Amino acid sequence: MNKDSFSAAALPTLAAAHFLDDTDISTGELKTLLELATAVKQAPADYRRSLVGRSIALLFEKPSLRTRMTFELAALQLGAGAVFQDHRGERIGEREPARDIARNLDRWFDAIVARTFSHQTLEELARWSSAPVINALSGSSHPCQALADFQTIGERFGELEGLKIAYIGDGNNVAHSLLLCAARLGVSFTFSGARGFEPDSATMRRAAELAAVGGATIAVEPEAQAAVRGAAVVYTDTWTSMGWEQETQQRRIAFADYQVTDELMAAARPDAVFMHCLPALRGQEVSDSVIESDRSVVFDQAENRLHAQKALLLMLLAGR
Ligand code: CP
Ligand code: NVA
């Protein structure tokens, strides 16, 4: 499908009411969303009136550069408005119950974008909101990041099916979302990190079941050099996610063998790219030379947050 396949007047829609988890959208919807993201990137002006008069609330319990800016900009470029509520000082549900916040917001807004510590906070907002709730990162997943990442991988390699991602480091929220999307897009995923920091076992099992349908594999390989063999993508993220700061020192020691270096990149496919959701700590999970190298597509990923989230907002809101 190319960009001409999407008429701004008749955009594809998502069946789910909310986007809390990667699997809230079907594999078919995921592929359509990635195609729409490409179309929106190629011809942004075609969509500048698609959400005129709509309003989006952003509630963030944690800091953000990319997610906040790209959702606000996405709204602006689609003709909608965005209002930001800073919840860093006081978690959602602290001053008043999340169910009351949801029932206020859905009287005013067409969508609620929330970044939370607990995934249950998102579920509680969604339970009480008729306006779609979008996961802007929780302790357990980061589905908007995965959308932009697979858009980026598709741009670089054309076909996704048959590729392999080696994920080095902490089996965190970003890893969970990559796993669940890779599995459904025919992309194999090998995790390599310190013992005890693997992705959640239920997510690994679910990803393995989904991957089996399309012939991709999900694996754990403790040796980073072995894990990157044959990989088209070497992906890493911070060793210490927001909310885990008390473990920073322990994690630095545990992950000492899992820095993405030039030597590690050399063991991957010759055309392999380096990916990171950012922010990155140079000298920890990645060397300065790798993140600054020609192989690094981290700013393509960041750019695509805008386009992928525009596609998400269009599919959630344009038809409602
Ligand atoms: N990658 C990402 O979500 O970045 P922010 O934390 O800056 O939003
Ligand atoms: N895993 C990181 C991602 C930041 C965008 C965190 O949760 O802090």
Side-chain angles (χ1 to χ4, degrees):
M1 210 184 279
N2 62 34
K3 79 178 179 69
D4 302 325
S5 310
F6 297 104
S7 147
L11 288 159
T13 54
L14 295 178
H18 305 282
F19 185 56
L20 306 187
D21 293 301
D22 302 85
T23 49
D24 283 348
I25 63 175
S26 69
T27 304
E29 288 173 330
L30 173 59
K31 290 179 179 168
T32 302
L33 192 153
L34 294 175
E35 286 162 3
L36 180 58
T38 301
V40 167
K41 184 172 183 174
Q42 285 170 355
D46 290 357
Y47 303 89
R48 68 171 188 268
R49 299 191 52 76
S50 297
L51 295 183
V52 166
R54 306 299 186 90
S55 329
I56 296 158
L58 286 96
L59 311 182
F60 279 46
E61 294 184 332
K62 303 175 182 177
S64 171
L65 173 71
R66 282 149 290 275
T67 311
R68 176 184 176 176
M69 299 244 117
T70 52
F71 265 113
E72 291 200 16
L73 190 57
L76 183 75
Q77 292 183 354
L78 295 170
V83 177
F84 181 78
Q85 168 91 339
D86 189 352
H87 270 282
R88 278 178 304 169
E90 168 208 283
R91 291 198 188 173
I92 296 165
E94 223 168 278
R95 181 165 178 258
E96 58 187 310
R99 64 179 186 277
D100 285 0
I101 295 177
R103 286 180 291 180
N104 277 265
L105 294 180
D106 90 346
R107 298 292 177 107
W108 308 320
F109 292 97
D110 299 290
I112 301 169
V113 176
R115 170 168 284 198
T116 60
F117 284 93
S118 160
H119 198 74
Q120 280 81 48
T121 306
L122 291 176
E123 289 169 350
E124 182 72 355
L125 289 172
R127 196 167 303 128
W128 294 92
S129 169
S130 55
V133 176
I134 296 172
N135 178 355
L137 180 148
S138 73
S140 40
S141 61
H142 197 1
C144 293
Q145 180 69 49
L147 298 176
D149 292 343
F150 282 99
Q151 184 182 358
T152 308
I153 299 168
E155 286 170 356
R156 199 39 93 113
F157 294 100
E159 248 331 283
L160 290 172
E161 214 172 313
L163 296 176
K164 172 182 168 182
I165 298 178
Y167 184 98
I168 311 297
D170 185 26
N172 61 16
N173 45 8
V174 170
H176 291 154
S177 289
L178 288 171
L179 264 164
L180 292 170
C181 290
R184 293 181 299 149
L185 292 167
V187 176
S188 292
F189 185 103
T190 298
F191 171 81
S192 187
R195 188 184 271 274
F197 293 94
E198 294 87 1
D200 161 69
S201 55
T203 307
M204 288 288 276
R205 270 198 308 276
R206 180 83 186 109
E209 284 162 16
L210 292 165
V213 176
T217 57
I218 304 296
V220 174
E221 167 52 66
E223 288 293 323
Q225 286 275 341
V228 302
R229 209 166 293 138
V233 173
V234 179
Y235 200 118
T236 192
D237 184 18
T238 181
W239 292 336
T240 306
S241 286
M242 294 178 279
W244 298 93
E245 289 80 3
Q246 74 285 0
E247 292 185 4
T248 302
Q249 216 28 51
Q250 174 200 343
R251 285 165 174 265
R252 260 186 215 168
I253 296 163
F255 288 111
D257 292 336
Y258 294 97
Q259 184 183 100
V260 179
T261 57
D262 291 312
E263 193 191 347
L264 191 64
M265 288 303 296
R269 257 169 65 161
D271 59 347
V273 294
F274 169 74
M275 296 182 75
H276 193 307
C277 63
L278 302 178
L281 271 175
R282 290 160 164 84
Q284 290 195 30
E285 72 269 13
V286 60
S287 70
D288 185 64
S289 60
V290 168
I291 197 167
E292 295 297 341
S293 73
D294 293 346
R295 292 172 149 218
S296 172
V297 294
V298 297
F299 301 113
D300 296 330
Q301 293 173 257
E303 180 189 340
N304 286 335
R305 295 294 303 276
L306 174 67
H307 311 300
Q309 286 159 201
K310 277 169 128 174
L312 175 66
L313 290 173
L314 289 170
M315 287 181 74
L316 271 174
L317 297 183
R320 281 177 205 248

